[in-house]
Amino acid sequence: MTAPEPAPATAAPPTVLVLDADPPPRLGRLTGRARIEYADEAALAGRLPHADVLLVWDFTSHAVREAWPGEGPRPRWVHTASAGVDHLMCPELAACDTVVTNARGIFDEPVAEYVAALVLALAKDLPRTWDLQRERTWRHRETQKVAGTRACVVGAGPIGRAVARTLKALGVTTAVVGRTPRTGIHGPDDLDRLLAHADWVIAAAPLTEQTRGMFDARRFGTMQPSARFVNVGRGQLVVQDALVDALRRRWIAGAALDVFECEPLTPDSPLWDVPGLIVSPHMGGDTVGWRDELGAQFVQLYDLWAAGRPLPNVVDKKRGYVPGH
């Protein structure tokens, strides 16, 4: 944990600038302790130099990259209401002393549950069952037993580890791959070997220069024909054309994507019609009440920051994620 510079001891409360989204965060607990201001993407650049704190509530926006000031006044702390930080990082932000935190801890279990649901849906052929029901067709089939299968989870952060725990509860033998090998975690050198024997490949890694495009034609060719691929990390982890080709050629048996290189997916995207692919609109971590949890987390962090105490969830701005766990 890193202790940012505490709020100044002045009569005026610190200014918290919110990169707006609908619905806005509930920050009533900060009444009298912070001046809450809102900005859309167009107004962000002009407001940043006057803010002490930036809350990136619209975590789908890339406006921070373009609006972040170089030299001169800028927020001393940036918090994003998301697990990933790739949407806001830029060289100027990485080089300055502004502290960046993320919403680590909010999405771990919901995403893990969502992955388990996708694994079960693919193994039990539920999409085809729903299609046949709409056709009023009775067609008996055999489905796959999940217990006893093997999974490779790529990404050793809290989400990846939660996915591994949940799959183990289903009887799946699970290996986790991280940036560096350690107890219970495989390193990158083991990835291809694990992919070659996995029934389930789960992408849950952060987007960095090392992970961008890591699932390409070679990696899909490494997987066995019965394997299924699930991406709940970032869309840019996957070379989209390579995945489409792998599914159409039946190099792998199926896939499920909850994240995409360009979101929202356009109606004319070829992904809608790829055989064996489940498409969902980046909803894996969004359970009922998730926005309230994000707002409450920010208020808790603000209390620490205002008191000059160390903040959790501090991002290593050069690596692009929270290290050390």
Side-chain angles (χ1 to χ4, degrees):
M1 295 189 295
T2 302
E5 181 183 347
T10 62
T15 296
V16 174
L17 181 63
V18 180
L19 179 55
D20 208 0
D22 187 30
R26 297 184 179 183
L27 302 178
R29 286 177 51 194
L30 298 183
T31 301
R33 298 191 293 128
R35 180 188 297 111
I36 310 297
E37 299 182 356
Y38 295 86
D40 58 16
E41 292 183 343
L44 185 63
R47 306 287 287 279
L48 277 174
H50 309 289
D52 298 292
V53 179
L54 173 64
L55 169 57
V56 185
W57 190 249
D58 183 359
F59 49 81
T60 65
S61 172
H62 294 259
V64 176
R65 289 181 182 174
E66 301 177 2
W68 190 259
E71 298 296 328
R74 55 182 176 264
R76 288 169 288 129
W77 169 35
V78 173
H79 177 76
T80 179
S82 61
V85 299
D86 51 277
H87 59 291
L88 59 86
M89 293 306 301
C90 60
E92 294 79 10
L93 177 54
C96 73
D97 58 359
T98 296
V99 173
V100 176
T101 57
N102 72 352
R104 185 184 181 101
I106 299 294
F107 302 106
D108 307 355
E109 298 303 331
V111 171
E113 292 173 358
Y114 199 76
V115 169
L118 291 171
V119 165
L120 291 169
L122 288 165
K124 303 307 178 183
D125 198 24
L126 292 184
R128 183 60 178 150
T129 295
W130 294 324
D131 288 342
L132 291 170
Q133 179 179 344
R134 285 192 292 270
E135 297 170 8
R136 297 173 178 262
T137 300
W138 181 281
R139 184 173 301 162
H140 181 271
R141 290 110 60 219
E142 295 178 344
T143 63
Q144 182 181 4
K145 182 180 178 181
V146 172
T149 59
R150 290 177 288 193
C152 175
V153 179
V154 183
I159 290 176
R161 297 199 305 272
V163 168
R165 289 193 304 270
T166 303
L167 293 181
K168 287 178 182 177
L170 295 175
V172 180
T173 300
T174 306
V176 180
V177 179
R179 183 175 182 269
T180 55
R182 52 196 185 275
T183 302
I185 305 294
H186 295 267
D189 291 344
D190 293 333
L191 178 56
D192 287 349
R193 175 179 61 82
L194 293 169
L195 291 181
H197 297 91
D199 300 291
W200 309 99
V201 177
I202 315 300
L207 179 62
T208 68
E209 289 308 309
Q210 291 71 40
T211 62
R212 185 183 300 274
M214 67 182 301
F215 291 100
D216 54 11
R218 185 185 71 79
R219 287 262 162 75
F220 289 120
T222 299
M223 299 176 196
Q224 53 189 351
S226 59
R228 273 92 167 208
F229 175 76
V230 177
N231 187 12
V232 290
R234 282 292 180 267
Q236 295 89 337
L237 300 177
V238 179
V239 178
Q240 179 177 299
D241 290 345
L243 173 60
V244 171
D245 191 54
L247 287 167
R248 288 179 171 162
R249 292 173 180 264
R250 299 186 180 178
W251 288 358
I252 60 175
L257 302 179
D258 189 51
V259 288
F260 304 87
E261 185 172 1
C262 296
E263 297 181 8
L265 209 60
T266 59
D268 61 350
S269 170
L271 292 178
W272 295 109
D273 300 315
V274 176
L277 177 63
I278 296 176
V279 170
S280 61
H282 203 153
M283 57 185 283
D286 301 347
T287 53
V288 175
W290 64 287
R291 290 185 178 87
D292 289 342
E293 291 185 49
L294 289 170
Q297 182 188 53
F298 175 74
V299 171
Q300 291 172 355
L301 294 180
Y302 182 88
D303 290 342
L304 295 174
W305 176 80
R309 296 172 59 188
L311 289 174
N313 296 9
V314 173
V315 173
D316 183 320
K317 294 187 288 184
K318 290 185 169 48
R319 294 184 182 181
Y321 56 88
V322 179
H325 298 280

